[in-house]
Amino acid sequence: MDSIDDLRALRIARALGDPTRFVIYRHIIDAGEMRCGDVGVDTPVQASTVSHHLRVLSEAGLIGSRREGQGVYYRVISASLGGYLRFMRNLERKGRLHASSPV
């Protein structure tokens, strides 16, 4: 993912802005890949809300899934986070340019 638009950046920001989703995202990053049933293990995440948070992260393009037998496994899509970080760095650069411009 080379670039993202404002709407995509907003989806990613909202997804990662929720403390629970951020914990889940970090947990998946640390594991490399994680079975759906294991996502809430070793985290403060309630099992009843895991599927909702996974859906939001998936809709933001931050995680992907694959089926294996009856299990669903989640992994991070690193290009999405990379695109978001580039988007934010570009905003920061624009902000510095405008801040240093004479009024």
Side-chain angles (χ1 to χ4, degrees), residues 11 19-20 24 28-29 54 56 62 64-66 70 82 94-95 102:
R11 281 190 187 141
T20 301
I24 290 171
I28 295 171
I29 286 174
L54 290 171
V56 172
L62 290 167
S65 64
R66 69 176 179 85
Q70 292 189 355
K94 286 179 182 179

Side-chain angles (χ1 to χ4, degrees), residues 28-75:
I28 295 171
I29 286 174
D30 292 343
E33 184 176 69
M34 183 168 279
R35 190 174 60 87
C36 180
D38 296 333
V39 170
V41 175
D42 297 329
T43 69
V45 181
Q46 296 290 328
S48 61
T49 63
V50 167
S51 62
H52 165 72
H53 292 301
L54 290 171
R55 186 179 74 246
V56 172
L57 289 167
S58 181
E59 288 172 355
L62 290 167
I63 62 172
S65 64
R66 69 176 179 85
R67 271 204 173 279
E68 185 175 304
Q70 292 189 355
V72 178
Y73 292 81
Y74 290 91
R75 63 184 165 19

Side-chain angles (χ1 to χ4, degrees), residues 65-94:
S65 64
R66 69 176 179 85
R67 271 204 173 279
E68 185 175 304
Q70 292 189 355
V72 178
Y73 292 81
Y74 290 91
R75 63 184 165 19
V76 168
I77 301 173
S78 59
S80 293
L81 184 59
Y84 176 72
L85 293 174
R86 284 189 295 280
F87 179 89
M88 295 305 291
R89 279 192 296 269
N90 188 41
L91 280 181
E92 190 267 338
R93 272 189 229 110
K94 286 179 182 179

Side-chain angles (χ1 to χ4, degrees), residues 1-26:
M1 168 176 292
D2 290 342
S3 64
I4 62 174
D5 61 15
D6 289 356
L7 181 59
R8 181 73 182 275
L10 184 57
R11 281 190 187 141
I12 291 171
R14 282 184 181 158
L16 294 177
D18 179 276
T20 301
R21 283 192 287 274
F22 187 79
V23 167
I24 290 171
Y25 188 70
R26 288 284 312 260

